[in-house]
């Protein structure tokens, strides 16, 4: 019952709280230090101490909504779900916090075993924030926990359509599809997530899962006489490779995929972005970065000979990677 909400709680660091910097500017130096320490305690197994400090600070500064948000987070981490839900409920009307207040209130209710109330809270939030990718994600994750995988995927895809800049729905849609009978259908979502997030444990996870999705795609393409398989074969791919195609073969297969018509907006944005990568001369580094986790030995061998190529690609994607969010293109002036 608690798993879906817990994943979100762990993903939303209190350091990301909106408005905290503004709150700090109105506190004394000593209070600022206390706030910072309490925020760390919330994430380090000392949430009970954080609750005491934040309660006192909230009483001293009742207009500082950022402190109240941090208090709600600390209460959640201290397993005081009802108090956390009430704290977040009071922040529903605060500009800049409303959407996350609905999300965190729903999380608290779900973790308290009140799933029906959590669902109602997320839906009420969507009435006020109809383009909220994070609230659609929460509803999708509840569907996934209830083993309604088609329903979950539909909500994640709605979240992507409503808010293409919110990366978590790409991750979750990809994960569901990678674990299905058609893992190749998750490739565009997985790769988009990697491009948007760039680093972290989930990026490594997506890299490995994307690699094995390509392995499945290549097997199916070989049986169907698909040009994607022919391109891979020209780069050394054989049926004996099975679940372990070379990164070089995947790179060639990806190049062939560029010529295909996109199946949805995510694929269209990814195709446009990949054409920019190709034109910028970073194709090999890009493809290996996306799937390195599935064949680390080959990747490390390639990297030892192409460190400059990878460094140049890293600089390029650091500058241009966010453009995939809105399907933008890179101009000659860039």
């Amino acid at each position: 019952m608690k798993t879906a909400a817990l994943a979100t709680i762990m993903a939303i660091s209190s350091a990301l709280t909106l408005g905290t910097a503004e709150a700090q500017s109105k506190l004394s130096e000593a209070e600022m230090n206390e706030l910072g320490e309490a925020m760390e305690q919330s994430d380090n197994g000392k949430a009970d101490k954080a609750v005491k400090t934040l309660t006192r600070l909230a009483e001293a500064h009742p207009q500082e909504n950022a402190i109240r948000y941090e208090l709600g987070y600390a209460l959640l981490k201290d397993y005081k779900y009802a108090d956390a839900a009430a704290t977040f409920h009071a922040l529903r009307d605060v500009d800049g916090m409303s959407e996350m207040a609905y999300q965190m209130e729903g999380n608290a209710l779900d973790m308290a075993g009140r799933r029906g109330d959590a669902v109602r809270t997320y839906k009420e939030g969507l009435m006020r924030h109809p383009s909220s990718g994070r609230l659609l994600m929460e509803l999708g994750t509840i569907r996934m926990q209830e083993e309604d995988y088609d329903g979950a995927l539909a909500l994640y895809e709605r979240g992507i359509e409503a808010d293409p800049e919110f990366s978590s729905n790409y991750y979750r849609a990809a994960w569901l599809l990678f674990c299905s009978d058609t893992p190749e259908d998750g490739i565009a979502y997985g790769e988009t997530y990697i491009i948007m997030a760039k680093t972290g444990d989930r990026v490594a996870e997506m890299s490995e899962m994307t690699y094995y999705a390509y392995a499945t795609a290549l097997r199916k393409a070989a049986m169907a006489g698909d040009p994607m398989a022919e391109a891979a074969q020209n780069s050394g791919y054989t049926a004996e490779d099975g679940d372990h195609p070379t990164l070089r073969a995947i790179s060639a297969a990806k190049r062939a995929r560029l010529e295909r018509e996109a199946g949805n907006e995510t694929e269209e944005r990814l195709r446009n972005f990949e054409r920019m990568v190709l034109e910028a001369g970073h194709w090999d580094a890009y493809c290996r970065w996306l799937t390195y986790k599935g064949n680390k030995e080959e990747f490390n061998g390639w990297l030892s000979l192409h460190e400059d190529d990878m460094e140049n690609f890293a600089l390029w994607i650091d500058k241009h990677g966010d453009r995939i969010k809105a399907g933008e293109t890179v101009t000659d002036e860039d």
Side-chain angles (χ1 to χ4, degrees), residues 22-329:
E22 289 79 359
Q24 289 178 339
S25 67
K26 299 177 182 179
L27 305 182
S28 69
E29 183 177 353
E31 288 173 326
M32 289 172 60
N33 291 335
E34 286 187 300
L35 176 60
E37 183 179 0
M39 291 168 66
E40 292 181 2
Q41 289 173 335
S42 294
D43 285 321
N44 293 327
K46 299 178 181 178
D48 56 334
K49 295 182 178 180
V51 168
K52 293 179 181 178
T53 300
L54 291 165
T55 298
R56 177 166 47 79
L57 290 174
E59 291 173 351
H61 301 276
Q63 303 305 314
E64 296 301 337
N65 293 313
I67 296 175
R68 294 163 63 198
Y69 184 99
E70 292 296 341
L71 174 58
Y73 181 82
L75 287 164
L76 198 64
K77 298 301 292 283
D78 197 30
Y79 311 108
K80 293 180 171 61
Y81 302 128
D83 290 340
T87 301
F88 289 122
H89 184 88
L91 296 173
R92 284 185 173 194
D93 296 327
V94 176
D95 290 342
M97 287 187 182
S98 178
E99 182 185 358
M100 290 183 67
Y102 278 102
Q103 180 187 23
M104 298 298 280
E105 180 185 348
N107 287 174
L109 292 168
D110 195 24
M111 296 179 79
R114 298 167 57 186
R115 176 150 289 183
D117 290 335
V119 170
R120 183 165 56 253
T121 296
Y122 297 140
K123 288 182 177 180
E124 289 173 355
L126 278 169
M127 291 180 67
R128 294 187 64 173
H129 305 281
S131 297
S132 174
R134 66 177 66 247
L135 292 173
L136 287 164
M137 176 198 72
E138 296 293 355
L139 290 171
T141 301
I142 285 177
R143 291 283 186 93
M144 185 175 70
Q145 291 292 315
E146 295 174 346
E147 299 185 4
D148 178 6
Y149 302 121
D150 290 341
L153 180 61
L155 283 161
Y156 293 147
E157 290 181 328
R158 274 184 59 194
I160 291 169
E161 182 179 357
D163 185 2
E165 296 190 14
F166 183 66
S167 64
S168 291
N169 281 312
Y170 296 98
Y171 168 82
R172 294 170 189 270
W175 197 93
L176 272 179
L177 289 165
F178 285 154
C179 295
S180 73
D181 293 334
T182 57
E184 64 275 17
D185 291 342
I187 289 174
Y189 291 134
E191 291 182 334
T192 299
Y193 176 79
I194 292 171
I195 294 165
M196 293 174 72
K198 296 185 180 67
T199 62
D201 292 342
R202 284 185 172 184
V203 166
E205 179 187 16
M206 283 289 101
S207 174
E208 185 169 18
M209 296 180 84
T210 298
Y211 172 85
Y212 287 109
Y214 271 112
T216 299
L218 285 172
R219 285 200 308 272
K220 292 182 178 181
M223 289 187 291
D226 190 292
M228 188 175 80
E230 182 179 350
Q233 289 164 358
N234 291 336
S235 294
Y237 174 77
T238 67
E240 286 71 27
D241 290 333
D243 289 332
H244 301 284
T246 65
L247 300 182
R248 181 168 177 262
I250 290 175
S251 175
K254 279 183 60 59
R255 180 68 181 82
R257 281 169 65 94
L258 276 181
E259 307 305 322
R260 296 184 176 183
E261 182 178 352
N264 55 42
E265 289 187 10
T266 296
E267 289 187 1
E268 182 64 30
R269 286 193 297 269
L270 182 62
R271 296 285 192 277
N272 289 338
F273 183 81
E274 290 186 334
R275 292 185 184 101
M276 292 190 290
V277 174
L278 188 65
E279 291 171 5
H282 299 301
W283 185 257
D284 285 345
Y286 166 73
C287 292
R288 284 162 174 77
W289 172 63
L290 287 175
T291 54
Y292 79 95
K293 191 71 173 178
N295 195 330
K296 290 187 287 186
E297 182 177 356
E298 181 189 349
F299 175 77
N300 289 335
W302 178 89
L303 184 61
S304 68
L305 300 174
H306 299 86
E307 289 185 5
D308 289 345
D309 292 339
M310 184 55 73
E311 182 177 353
N312 289 334
F313 166 67
L315 293 171
W316 184 90
I317 200 166
D318 183 62
K319 180 179 180 181
H320 299 299
D322 285 349
R323 298 196 176 206
I324 194 172
K325 295 178 181 179
E328 297 178 8
T329 58

